[in-house]
Each structure stands twice: as structure tokens, then as C-alpha cells.
Amino acid sequence: MMRIILLGPPGAGKGTQSQFISKEFGIPQISTGDMLRSAIAEGTELGKQAKGVMDAGGLVSDDLIINLVKERISKPDCANGCIFDGFPRTIAQAEALVDADIKIDHVVEISVPDDEIVSRLSGRRQHPASGRVYHVKYNPPKVEGVDDETGEPLIQRDDAQEDTIRDRLKTYHDQTAMLGGFYQDKSKAGGDAPEYHQFDGTQDIDVVKEQILSTLK
Ligand code: AP5
Ligand code: MG
């Protein structure tokens, strides 16, 4: 059993690195952002409630997210653990994990300064069905505009406009960034607490990957 939390600002590479960790350890990636985007695409009640907040770069309510995550981790593919990508994003969400007795083994924080994030996110392309992430310059698909494994078209997300990226960064600094310190303190206290590890996310994708995988092994 291995449960991992990936922390980091928008565009830090959480989705990119989750895919590598998922392959290496055979545990699923749980991206609350990807789940919300599929709910929007399917037109569900959750999707309707989430759309406005996501377009504005804010956070979806803790209650909705906590229920979504609890339901997801009860699925059989999470029996050996999972990777939380983009969750928790508030102290209340982190406390909900503790209250529900969901034990975390590792917290992996990927740090990238704000000025690098805007250029990264405008070049991102994603395969919506699998969550696979590309970048036109830093991680291009084999054939422009299509997914390597399925040949299906890649899309650009609705929240990739520069204004929205700046709003997402503000939300991150106001509500999420403090989770790094929160888990660092817990880790130092020892006991049942998760181990905390920090990585420099401005390095090449493969370098970050090697550092994370060798730390987790
Ligand atoms: P979410 O989908 O989680 O978005 P995010 O946190 O803003 O992060 P991103 O997915 O944009 O970036 P990433 O870190 O995954 O980076 P990626 O690997 O793609 O959330 C979206 C929205 O949903 C939120 O704004 C909120 O409204 C809502 N939401 C989600 N979870 C919630 C929660 N728990 N509570 C409340 N609301 C929630 O990489 C980015 C690009 O950079 C790619 O093109 C990639 O190829 C490239 N890249 C990656 N690493 C490198 C590298 N080392 N060097 C160069 N390029 C790189
Ligand atoms: Mg992501």
C-alpha cells in the first residue's frame, strides 16, 4: 500500500510526474482537476457547480471535493494505494484525510516560480480521456496535435488563458501554498506522519522524474 500526495502550483508538473509514478508503482493517478473537467464535459450536477469557479481560477468547495475523493478511493483499483494530484488544496481538505483515517506515505512537493508557469501552461496540450500531458516545446507528442498512444486529438484547457493562469496562481498562494509547511511540520514530528520531499521543478522533466522515483523507491 502506497499513497502519495503531489503538491505544487499550477503547471508545476504534477500531472506529468503522476503518470511516471503511476507506471512505476502500479497505482492510479487521482487528479481532482481531471475528474472535475470530465464532470463538466458530461454535464453532471457536479460539473455544473464546478464550471464557474474553475473558469475564474478559484477553488471548488471543500465538501464537493472531499466527497468526490472519498468515492474515488473506494474503487478497487485503489486497493494498493494511489497518487493524489491536485488534492488536498486547502488545510480543510488535508484535515479531512486525517479525520477519515486515510494514511499518506509520501508528500512530494514540486516547486516552480510564478514567472515560469505562464509560458509553460500556454504550451501545454492534453489528451482528455487519459490525462496524458504534453508541451509543444518541452515534451512534444510524436505527431503534432495527437496523443502518442491512441492517435486521438489533443486539446488546450479552458483555463489556459493568461488572465486565468494569474488568478489560479493567486488562489494557489492564498489557499494552497501553506500545505507545504503543513506537511513539512508533520513530517518532522514523525510517528505516523507522511514523509515530506521537495523537488526543483524547473529542471528537465526526466531529471525531476529520476529524483522523485529514486526517492520513493
Ligand atoms: P488542476 O487540473 O489540478 O490544475 P492545476 O493545479 O492548476 O495544475 P495543472 O494541471 O495546470 O498543472 P500540473 O502541475 O498538473 O502540470 P502539468 O504536468 O500539466 O485543477 C484545475 C482546477 O480544478 C482548479 O483551478 C480548481 O478550480 C479545481 N480543483 C482541482 N482540484 C481541486 C481541489 N482539490 N479543491 C478545489 N478545487 C479543485 O505540466 C504543465 C505543462 O508544463 C505541460 O505542458 C508539461 O508538459 C510541462 N512541463 C511539466 N514539467 C516540466 C518541466 N520540468 N520542464 C518543462 N516543462 C514541463
Ligand atoms: Mg494537472
Side-chain angles (χ1 to χ4, degrees), residues 25-159:
F25 296 101
I27 51 177
Q29 167 193 15
I30 299 183
S31 161
T32 41
D34 287 346
M35 290 165 79
L36 293 168
R37 280 182 291 277
S38 5
I40 292 173
E42 287 160 18
T44 66
E45 195 48 44
L46 171 68
K48 282 176 196 150
Q49 293 186 45
K51 180 153 182 23
V53 197
M54 287 174 73
D55 286 348
L59 292 184
V60 175
S61 83
D62 287 333
D63 284 349
L64 285 180
I65 294 288
I66 291 163
N67 287 330
L68 186 70
V69 168
K70 280 190 180 162
E71 193 185 306
R72 179 64 188 85
I73 62 172
S74 70
K75 301 264 162 70
D77 65 331
C78 295
N80 295 323
C82 63
I83 305 154
F84 291 115
D85 160 9
F87 172 89
R89 253 178 157 91
T90 60
I91 298 287
Q93 292 178 18
E95 299 284 12
L97 285 174
V98 177
D99 294 344
D101 216 11
I102 300 164
K103 195 179 159 292
I104 306 296
D105 302 281
H106 298 278
V107 173
V108 168
E109 176 154 31
I110 307 174
S111 302
V112 176
D114 288 7
D115 39 1
E116 185 149 339
I117 284 167
V118 179
S119 83
R120 264 197 199 184
L121 287 181
S122 48
R124 173 169 58 194
R125 300 293 181 272
Q126 194 166 9
H127 177 240
S130 67
R132 273 187 288 280
V133 192
Y134 301 87
H135 192 282
V136 289
K137 196 161 124 207
Y138 307 123
N139 183 25
K142 291 181 186 128
V143 178
E144 194 189 322
V146 298
D147 178 49
D148 288 351
E149 288 185 31
T150 62
E152 290 167 355
L154 300 177
I155 59 140
Q156 220 176 341
R157 274 169 37 180
D158 290 343
D159 60 359

